[in-house]
Amino acid sequence: MTQIWGVDVTSAPRKRKPIVAVQAELNGRILRIQDMIQFTSLADVNTWLKHVDGVVGVDAPLGQPRRLLTHLAEHDSAWMQSWTSYVGIISKLSKAEFETLLNSYRADRPKGDKQHLRHCDKLAGACSPMMLYGVPVAKMFFALAPLLLCAKVDVPLLRSIPTSVCHVLEVYPALVVQALAKLILDAGQRVSYKSDTVSKQTQNQQHARVKMVSALSQGVLEEGYGLRLELPPQLQDVIINDPKGDVLDAAFAAVQAAWASQQDNFGIPQDADALEGWISDPLLSR
């Protein structure tokens, strides 16, 4: 049996918008969700990372585009030495300084060439890890990557610590949503199941979460992910009644982490870029 964690990340955790982690146990093809915890500060996440074990899937970019790093290395070669090296530089910046770094880089670049994608982002259809607004994944990177560096956990591809009992992977729950949508919705339909904005939270979204929970429990992901998800009734209720979708996204992250735990090298190709990182999901391993 393998301990699995799925983590839905926010860059500024607080009581109203915590970082959500679900704890699960993988036994063969059965992934049993056992518990859920919430972190209302990055300090709490830092403490947890230093004691957690198993395979952890986090819904946040863990690396930056090689193209950005190449430009920054014109002024300091440490940006291109390794993930450990450039995250070490970033860990010494304030949040405002990190945002200024990205904004200054974009300022003189032509439209359409201001935010770069990593190779894995292109394959997954994910947004740029340089994005500060809308879905501010750059802020998630800034919040999480230095914590991983400090915690000395194994981050496959990016930073190898063979003796670590914790392996942290980047995942992208939207890919699980896409797989589910193809199975439970009519072709061409898009699934809306969450919103952080209260005025945009709808009954239809709750119905979609009900349908998703039911489908997961019936084993619809066995073909793509090789797993059957078991959710305790009380957590099913929490997911269905969570209009922000954070708990469901954390469960999806756990699915991807569980899949990766059963693959060679966690599903990361041998030629993956050790500066940029990789998103662990069967879609990207084909």
Side-chain angles (χ1 to χ4, degrees):
M1 289 184 285
T2 305
Q3 188 87 339
I4 301 292
W5 292 86
V7 184
D8 180 68
V9 178
T10 180
S11 62
R14 54 204 182 276
K15 188 174 181 179
R16 291 176 59 186
K17 183 65 175 177
I19 288 175
V20 176
V22 297
Q23 180 183 12
E25 185 178 79
L26 179 62
N27 188 359
R29 297 171 67 88
I30 305 299
L31 181 65
R32 294 186 177 90
I33 306 291
Q34 298 172 313
D35 201 3
M36 176 194 73
I37 57 176
Q38 297 181 336
F39 304 106
T40 56
S41 73
L42 292 175
D44 290 342
V45 177
N46 188 37
T47 300
W48 175 74
L49 280 170
K50 292 178 178 178
H51 298 94
V52 70
D53 64 87
V55 180
V56 181
V58 295
D59 179 18
L62 300 184
Q64 287 295 321
R66 175 174 284 271
R67 191 170 177 188
L68 168 67
L69 298 173
T70 300
H71 171 84
L72 296 175
E74 294 174 1
H75 307 283
D76 183 349
S77 62
W79 285 98
M80 286 290 287
Q81 288 176 8
S82 66
W83 178 85
T84 299
S85 180
Y86 78 76
V87 173
I89 296 172
I90 289 169
S91 68
K92 294 180 175 63
L93 302 178
S94 68
K95 185 177 180 180
E97 288 171 334
F98 177 66
E99 292 181 19
T100 297
L101 178 76
L102 294 181
N103 285 328
S104 297
Y105 173 78
R106 284 195 290 261
D108 298 328
R109 302 192 69 81
K111 185 177 180 180
D113 192 34
K114 294 179 179 291
Q115 297 188 134
H116 308 314
L117 296 172
R118 300 170 297 167
H119 180 56
C120 60
D121 298 321
K122 295 175 184 177
L123 294 176
C127 60
S128 168
M130 297 170 59
M131 186 176 291
L132 289 167
Y133 308 102
V135 182
V137 289
K139 296 179 183 179
M140 297 179 193
F141 163 82
F142 178 79
L144 189 59
L147 293 186
L148 297 177
L149 185 67
C150 176
K152 294 182 169 57
V153 296
D154 179 53
V155 188
L157 179 63
L158 296 175
R159 197 265 299 277
S160 175
I161 301 183
T163 58
S164 176
V165 297
C166 178
H167 311 278
V168 179
L169 307 170
E170 179 179 340
V171 298
Y172 188 43
L175 297 176
V176 186
V177 176
Q178 289 175 23
L180 264 179
K182 290 178 182 178
L183 294 167
I184 66 176
L185 297 177
D186 295 332
Q189 274 191 291
R190 294 185 62 184
V191 59
S192 173
Y193 65 99
K194 64 177 183 177
S195 178
D196 283 343
T197 305
V198 174
S199 62
K200 295 181 180 179
Q201 294 167 356
T202 68
Q203 195 70 33
N204 284 340
Q205 290 173 343
Q206 186 179 50
H207 290 160
R209 294 193 298 275
V210 170
K211 202 169 185 178
M212 285 177 158
V213 167
S214 175
L216 289 169
S217 300
Q218 292 170 20
V220 297
L221 291 179
E222 284 191 86
E223 182 178 345
Y225 290 86
L227 300 167
R228 176 180 289 272
L229 189 66
E230 291 187 356
L231 288 163
Q234 63 271 24
L235 198 54
Q236 291 186 30
D237 291 340
V238 170
I239 288 174
I240 289 168
N241 294 302
D242 171 25
K244 295 179 180 179
D246 297 336
V247 185
L248 186 53
D249 284 344
F252 290 150
V255 167
Q256 291 175 301
W259 170 85
S261 74
Q262 298 183 321
Q263 312 304 310
D264 291 339
N265 198 34
F266 298 98
I268 301 170
Q270 293 300 321
D271 61 351
D273 194 320
L275 283 177
E276 292 191 337
W278 191 257
I279 296 169
S280 290
D281 185 89
L283 178 66
L284 276 67
S285 70
R286 295 171 189 165

